[in-house]
Amino acid sequence: MREDFKATIVESSRDFTAKERIQLKDTTAAIKLADATKEGGVVIAVDAYAVIEVHNEHSENTDYTIYVLIDKGGNTYYTSSKPLFDSFKDMWDEMKDESEDWEIEVYRVPSKNQSGDFLTCKIL
């Protein structure tokens, strides 16, 4: 077992199979939201999510969190943006038991405190 890299799912919206857990922890084929939002917002019909704690000895920041969103079509999106995930999670907690269809739009907003943008989302 590799000691220099470990990814652990610490929270999820549902129980995933072993195969799904392995797939979620490998974000190489997932859509990076920081890149996908450069030209505008991204609409996602979220079906499930997972929070993954990563330990990577080969990264400048050896311990970090990745938030993975899975849409109803099976596409996976990821971010390390805690503000984005916190906004999404508030919506998820309110809407998860509702029968009404809903989606989120992930988009960039200029930061008032730092140079550049940050990611956030709104419900559609």
Side-chain angles (χ1 to χ4, degrees):
M1 181 173 190
R2 289 178 52 186
E3 297 293 324
D4 58 344
F5 181 87
K6 184 176 181 181
T8 305
I9 298 172
V10 295
E11 178 185 339
S12 62
S13 58
R14 65 175 175 84
D15 290 332
F16 292 102
T17 66
K19 179 181 176 183
E20 289 172 323
R21 290 191 305 270
I22 293 167
Q23 291 171 331
L24 285 172
K25 291 187 277 187
D26 178 6
T27 58
T28 55
I31 299 163
K32 186 175 183 179
L33 285 167
D35 293 340
T37 56
K38 286 183 179 176
E39 300 297 320
V42 174
V43 175
I44 306 170
V46 181
D47 186 49
Y49 75 86
V51 179
I52 303 170
E53 294 289 334
V54 178
H55 176 79
N56 183 354
E57 291 291 334
H58 303 288
S59 176
E60 186 176 310
N61 180 8
T62 57
D63 295 303
Y64 54 94
T65 304
I66 297 174
Y67 307 99
V68 179
L69 305 177
I70 303 106
D71 74 11
K72 293 182 179 180
N75 300 304
T76 55
Y77 302 82
Y78 75 98
T79 184
S80 290
S81 171
K82 183 161 177 27
L84 168 59
F85 183 74
D86 288 346
S87 294
F88 159 74
K89 187 70 167 52
D90 285 345
M91 292 175 215
W92 178 270
D93 289 344
E94 291 257 349
M95 296 298 295
K96 67 182 177 184
D97 296 324
E98 298 294 321
S99 60
E100 183 179 7
D101 286 339
W102 63 284
E103 300 173 322
I104 62 168
E105 180 179 7
V106 178
Y107 58 99
R108 294 172 170 265
V109 175
S111 175
K112 294 177 184 169
N113 301 325
Q114 300 175 7
S115 64
D117 299 332
F118 68 93
L119 295 176
T120 190
C121 64
K122 65 182 178 185
I123 193 166
L124 300 176

